[in-house]
Amino acid sequence: MKEILLLKLGELVLKGLNRGNFEKRLMKNLAWRIRNCGEFKIYCMQSTIYVEPQSDDCDMDAALDEAKRVFGIVNISRAAEVEKDIDKIISVSKEYLRDTLSNAKTFKVEAKRSDKSFPKKSPEICFEVGSALHDEFENIEVDVKNPEVLVKVEIRDRAAYVHANPIPGAGGLPVGINGRAAILLSGGIDSPVAAYMMAKRGVELFGIHFFSYPYTSERAKEKVIELARLVGKYAGNIKIAMVPFTKIQEEIRANCKEEYFTLIMRRFMMQIAEQVARENNCGALITGESLGQVASQTMEALGVTENGISLPVLRPVIGMDKEEIVGIARRINTFETSILPYEDCCTVFTPKHPRTKPKLENILEEEKKLPFDALCREAIENIEII
Ligand code: ATP
Ligand code: MG
């Protein structure tokens, strides 16, 4: 029996004239994602994307698994393809849904006939398929309001399809349709989640990581690369600009008041990130900051951090509790990597008593002690892209 995947488009359906482009982008993302699962034909009709295997050695399980992580899809059904003939539809339904229906108590059949030349109308199809299944499986009763199994029969142009109980897709919008942004990726829990959340809104990601060798180790860098790879399972490949940060941190330590260390360091990060972002065609910065989580994430501190930056700073986890962020991190499988105990450059040279209500003028005054622009330039010149 021939199986295909039917992917239902989400919010996309609402997008008016841009819809065609969005669908194209989604199909392109999907094609890339399942490129190692075999040869498939992918096309879109009536808000559904069809994924048809072109040979017997296509790996449907693997393709389904990949499709689950492609943004822009609300649900996914694995369907049996059958000739447009009512007897064949009935016999395939019995066979294909045997496991599902044998273990259920209630069911309902819904039919959709987009090929109007098919001799039976939808209510007749429902009735005939429903009666046959009811006869075949003695354990099930019809429940039209709240069926455990919703059997769908679709009569389309090329063939008919039978499927039941779709699984949820990744939701969101296709990566790439909402531009490109630079995610400041640390090795922590929050920034990979922030990256995932913006990718889900259709943003293509470019990573920026600051490292302070030898205060932070090679393994801390590898951890960030691994986190980008895990987020990339949803967001697509992510390039990372590795920014050497040691000299800047040492200069801050040698010249500035300890209570301002973290904030001045974060201002350097934002300034450098903005320049790197612009050079890489990014329209925004993304961080994993969450209001009040640490001293450098109070409202006043955030104000100081982003002062002087003209790109929008997107902070998708700003209003989330740590627990909620951890919940997402577990679901997208970044949590276990995030908690590996390698140091981040934010944790070297942390002040004992950081300012929680910093005043911008004091910090600008402190920064005058440093050759701010020259330090940024030098760091940017020594970036390595991975
Ligand atoms: P995370 O779990 O993302 O590390 P955090 O709670 O540790 O967050 P901070 O260390 O204060 O918070 O960092 C806040 C945000 O600044 C991070 O979410 C990230 O976007 C950015 N950031 C911090 N350290 C780095 C770094 N070494 N390289 C790039 N971005 C960083
Ligand atoms: Mg961190």
Side-chain angles (χ1 to χ4, degrees), residues 189-332:
I189 297 168
D190 307 330
S191 49
V193 170
Y196 161 85
M197 288 178 73
M198 292 325 300
K200 186 172 179 184
R201 292 312 296 167
V203 176
E204 194 180 335
L205 302 176
F206 179 87
I208 301 179
H209 177 66
F210 297 87
F211 70 98
S212 290
Y213 189 77
Y215 304 103
T216 64
S217 65
E218 194 57 33
R219 285 201 298 184
K221 232 170 156 184
E222 280 160 18
K223 175 180 170 183
V224 170
I225 296 172
E226 173 62 9
L227 286 170
R229 196 186 64 79
L230 292 170
V231 173
K233 290 189 172 192
Y234 294 87
N237 270 359
I238 302 172
K239 278 189 196 163
I240 311 175
M242 294 285 181
V243 188
F245 210 49
T246 316
K247 186 164 173 195
I248 291 175
Q249 287 194 290
E250 287 177 342
E251 289 286 323
I252 297 173
R253 185 176 57 172
N255 295 292
C256 303
K257 281 193 195 150
E258 183 183 310
E259 59 190 7
Y260 295 129
F261 280 0
T262 308
L263 279 174
I264 295 176
M265 180 194 76
R266 299 205 43 80
R267 284 173 51 78
F268 268 102
M269 283 189 178
M270 296 299 262
Q271 296 282 344
I272 293 171
E274 177 170 57
Q275 290 185 44
V276 176
R278 287 195 192 281
E279 279 163 24
N280 289 281
N281 303 318
C282 296
L285 302 179
I286 306 168
T287 75
E289 288 159 315
S290 162
L291 191 65
Q293 194 186 73
V294 287
S296 58
Q297 293 173 26
T298 62
M299 213 178 279
E300 292 82 356
L302 292 175
V304 166
T305 304
E306 72 177 19
N307 170 267
I309 302 293
S310 56
L311 282 181
V313 181
L314 309 178
R315 299 183 172 95
V317 304
I318 193 73
M320 290 172 77
D321 294 349
K322 195 76 189 184
E323 241 174 275
E324 295 173 277
I325 300 173
V326 165
I328 298 178
R330 285 190 195 279
R331 187 158 56 72
I332 65 171

Side-chain angles (χ1 to χ4, degrees), residues 6-14 26 47-49 67-77 165-174 200-201:
L6 300 176
L7 316 178
K8 281 266 182 276
L9 302 184
E11 254 178 80
L12 269 191
V13 190
L14 307 171
L26 176 46
S47 303
T48 301
I49 289 182
K68 278 193 242 173
R69 290 190 296 263
V70 175
F71 292 127
I73 295 164
V74 273
N75 70 48
I76 305 174
S77 306
N165 293 4
I167 56 169
L173 298 168
K200 186 172 179 184
R201 292 312 296 167

Side-chain angles (χ1 to χ4, degrees), residues 186-188 344 346:
S186 68
D344 177 54
C346 281

